[in-house]
Amino acid sequence: MSIQKTLSLIKPDAVAKNVTGSINAKLEQAGLRIIAQKRLRLTKEQAEEFYKVHSDKAFYRSLCEFMSSGPIIAQVLCGEDAVAKNRQTMGATNPMNAEIGTIRRDFGESIEHNAVHGSDSPENAAIEIAFFFSSLEIIE
Ligand code: ADP
Ligand code: MG
């Protein structure tokens, strides 16, 4: 266990539903601190770059259309074991399989429109944080 940072995105479906505050409350209740946060809209090209590890998947085109369809909230979360803690707080990729009380269970619509993104390792977290934030924007 160690203090980590991780990237969180509140996806266009959850921003459209106006539940960003409820999602932030769940993150904070889990012991995660939001140390950077901004609202932005990805271009399709930026979404394709961010999700390029999935470029061979059948859902890639649809995912990139969705992620560029409206504003998102990008956040840096900090805390003890933040990468795994955020993944637990998010719940399973498919909201139907996510545990009760998780963000995806409460706010996700479908396996694609599943409310939030979270980095899956400390290495990917560093890459993903740098995609959205400069070091000047992250105050610990
Ligand atoms: P996670 O976001 O839980 O890490 P993945 O990295 O496997 O999940 O997938 C990235 C995103 O792609 C998911 O959050 C979801 O929005 C979308 N996705 C994953 N699997 C599917 C699928 N079978 N059909 C449609 N969209 C999917
Ligand atoms: Mg993933």
Side-chain angles (χ1 to χ4, degrees), residues 72-117:
I72 63 171
I73 309 292
Q75 316 174 298
V76 180
L77 309 179
C78 183
E80 189 77 35
D81 221 8
V83 172
K85 191 173 279 181
N86 183 42
R87 298 285 305 189
Q88 278 162 22
T89 309
M90 290 162 59
T93 306
N94 188 341
M96 284 176 59
N97 301 331
E99 277 181 46
I100 289 170
T102 61
I103 293 168
R104 283 169 162 173
R105 176 70 172 248
D106 284 4
F107 302 115
E109 310 265 324
S110 67
I111 191 166
E112 182 175 86
H113 296 194
N114 59 1
V116 283
H117 165 87

Side-chain angles (χ1 to χ4, degrees), residues 43-62:
T43 64
K44 191 149 164 280
E45 292 70 29
Q46 288 168 332
E48 287 168 357
E49 173 65 20
F50 182 73
Y51 277 115
K52 65 185 176 195
V53 293
H54 293 304
S55 60
D56 58 341
K57 309 269 171 56
F59 59 80
Y60 177 66
R61 280 176 63 94
S62 173

Side-chain angles (χ1 to χ4, degrees), residues 12-63:
D13 59 322
V15 174
K17 282 164 75 177
N18 205 25
V19 293
T20 63
S22 302
I23 290 173
N24 283 354
K26 282 190 188 285
L27 296 172
E28 292 181 348
Q29 278 156 18
L32 294 159
R33 186 174 293 272
I34 302 163
I35 61 166
Q37 176 167 256
K38 60 188 171 190
R39 187 176 195 263
L40 62 119
R41 182 169 178 170
L42 292 172
T43 64
K44 191 149 164 280
E45 292 70 29
Q46 288 168 332
E48 287 168 357
E49 173 65 20
F50 182 73
Y51 277 115
K52 65 185 176 195
V53 293
H54 293 304
S55 60
D56 58 341
K57 309 269 171 56
F59 59 80
Y60 177 66
R61 280 176 63 94
S62 173
L63 174 64

